[in-house]
């Protein structure tokens, strides 16, 4: 892939996403009509078919290592840890809806939803891709998404359960938020990492039938009842898993557009190099499973969440991640957030970080796309 292809893809990014300004600004070029989910799918598919991978970062634009946006209504949203290091914004920005279900003003990580809305729309207007995850509270116990004290939570919110009506109100609030994004196309990946047992919708916390019903109920409410057609639905269990396990809770081709997987590197007691080798093997195995499944089911696929907390490996980007994803066929990879209030909780470099240059080299690869 060369500069021309990169430039071309940049144009497609700009053209394919319709941004939330109904009147496109002159700076963004004249956008030919509303960006739709179909156009977003085409953009992702086009990138993947050329061997390109969009790079994404969670909560970019709203905060980073040691800083956060405070002027919710007026900040120009031009700061980004990724841009500070690589000179470009991430092509994909992720946000989390956790807290929207309660009608809170801020999400679980302190991001005001009004700011999130503005950042999502701004990013789309610049030609970028927006994705949402959701860590909702536990609707039965009142605890957080990680409260796994009861295995009756999913059951309790399905149509036959006592908590169903109240839960539909939670879905309504999440759908209201997505509806308020002025039609920008987004990727939504609810009920993620469901093959592990750390969220109340996880593997040991509900049956496959209950899980699928939860996912389908969510999809049906958003798509059929609310008519939200600006969403690409991503099913993103934790990996690595074999195809049979991946499919065991797959909600169905009609309500999934993208197959994703969340896999992190965890340093063990055997040193960084061993951890990197282990992680890269897991990524390769899982992405090859997804590649086959995506071909069979006619879906896109991606590495929906990944990273090495604290970037303790100085060559993680060029030495571990890049070789593991290069040529894999994924349309995008997203690394997790740079917390503004926890110095060690970051997954992308920032200005002044010791090994930032390794990320810059990664970002400069011809097949890695930033904005
Ligand atoms: C986790 C951590 C938490 C955060 C949650 C939702 O992986 O980053 O600190 O609250 O994601 O964003």
């Amino acid at each position: 892939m060369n500069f021309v292809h990169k430039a071309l893809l940049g144009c497609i990014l700009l053209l394919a996403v319709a941004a939330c300004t109904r009147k496109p600004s002159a700076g963004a070029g004249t956008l030919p009509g509303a960006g739709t989910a179909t156009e977003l799918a085409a953009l992702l598919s086009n990138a993947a078919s050329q061997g390109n991978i969009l790079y994404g970062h969670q909560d970019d634009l709203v905060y980073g290592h040691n800083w956060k946006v405070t002027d919710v209504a007026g900040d120009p949203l031009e700061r980004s840890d990724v841009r500070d290091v690589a000179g470009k914004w991430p092509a994909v920005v992720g946000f989390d809806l956790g807290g929207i279900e309660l009608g809170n003003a801020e999400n679980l990580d302190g991001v005001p939803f009004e700011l999130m809305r503005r950042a999502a729309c701004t990013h789309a207007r610049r030609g970028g891709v927006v994705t949402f995850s959701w860590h909702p509270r536990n609707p039965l116990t009142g605890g957080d998404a990680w409260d796994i004290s009861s295995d009756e939570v999913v059951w309790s919110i399905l149509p036959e359960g006592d908590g169903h009506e109240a839960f539909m109100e939670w879905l309504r609030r999440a759908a209201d938020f997505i509806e308020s994004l002025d039609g920008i196309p987004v990727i939504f990946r609810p009920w993620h990492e469901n093959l592990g047992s750390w969220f109340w919708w996880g593997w040991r916390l509900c049956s496959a039938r209950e899980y699928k019903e939860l996912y389908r109920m969510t999809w049906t409410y958003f798509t059929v009842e609310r008519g939200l057609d600006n969403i690409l639905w991503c099913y993103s269990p934790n990996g690595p898993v074999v195809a049979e396990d991946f499919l065991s809770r797959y909600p169905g081709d009609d309500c999934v557009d993208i197959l994703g997987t969340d896999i992190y590197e965890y340093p063990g007691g055997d040193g960084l190099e061993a951890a990197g080798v282990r992680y890269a093997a897991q990524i390769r195995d899982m992405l090859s499973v997804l590649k086959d499944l995506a071909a069979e089911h006619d879906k896109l696929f991606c590495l929906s969440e990944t990273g090495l907390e604290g970037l303790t490996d100085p060559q993680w980007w060029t030495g571990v991640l890049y070789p593991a994803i290069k040529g894999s066929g994924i349309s995008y990879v997203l690394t997790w957030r740079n917390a503004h209030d926890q110095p060690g909780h970051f997954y992308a470099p920032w200005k002044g970080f010791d090994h930032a240059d390794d990320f810059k080299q990664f970002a400069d690869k011809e097949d890695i796309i930033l904005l």
Side-chain angles (χ1 to χ4, degrees), residues 9 55 258 288:
L9 189 72
Y55 168 70
I258 306 177
S288 106

Side-chain angles (χ1 to χ4, degrees), residues 59 80 108 142 150 178 301:
D59 280 349
S80 148
L108 76 172
S150 166
I178 292 195
F301 65 111

Side-chain angles (χ1 to χ4, degrees), residues 309-348:
E309 187 182 29
L311 291 171
T312 44
D313 180 342
Q315 291 189 325
W316 189 75
W317 299 94
T318 56
V320 180
L321 179 66
Y322 182 67
I325 60 175
K326 183 178 172 52
S328 63
I330 53 170
S331 43
Y332 78 89
V333 55
L334 180 138
T335 54
W336 204 238
R337 67 196 195 101
N338 285 9
H340 58 88
D341 53 356
Q342 300 170 56
H345 192 50
F346 63 89
Y347 294 86

Side-chain angles (χ1 to χ4, degrees), residues 191-267:
W191 319 126
H192 66 305
E193 299 180 10
N194 59 311
L195 301 181
S197 299
W198 46 85
F199 296 132
W200 56 257
W201 57 89
W203 178 258
R204 281 202 303 271
L205 289 306
C206 58
S207 68
R209 188 194 66 79
E210 287 164 351
Y211 177 84
K212 288 185 208 177
E213 207 173 332
L214 170 64
Y215 197 110
R216 296 191 64 84
M217 185 174 91
T218 308
W219 179 85
T220 303
Y221 176 71
F222 277 59
T223 309
V224 180
E225 284 185 44
R226 299 291 299 268
L228 294 172
D229 58 3
N230 59 323
I231 303 174
L232 293 181
W233 291 75
C234 179
Y235 173 64
S236 66
N238 51 297
V241 292
V242 295
E244 196 189 355
D245 287 341
F246 186 93
L247 290 178
S248 66
R249 294 187 175 213
Y250 182 63
D253 278 343
D254 55 338
C255 54
V256 173
D257 302 293
I258 306 177
L259 310 181
T261 187
D262 294 3
I263 301 179
Y264 285 82
E265 177 172 332
Y266 295 104

Side-chain angles (χ1 to χ4, degrees), residues 344-367:
H345 192 50
F346 63 89
Y347 294 86
W350 69 89
K351 199 174 177 177
F353 177 64
D354 277 356
H355 313 301
D357 191 55
D358 183 56
F359 177 74
K360 170 98 173 85
Q361 282 177 40
F362 166 80
D364 285 344
K365 302 272 185 202
E366 288 187 336
D367 48 354

Side-chain angles (χ1 to χ4, degrees), residues 99-128:
I100 197 87
E101 68 280 359
L102 301 180
N104 291 350
E106 294 185 351
N107 85 346
L108 76 172
D109 298 315
V111 180
F113 285 110
E114 200 188 321
L115 176 65
M116 191 184 295
R117 178 183 299 115
R118 215 158 62 73
C121 289
T122 299
H123 187 61
R125 191 162 56 239
R126 288 173 183 154

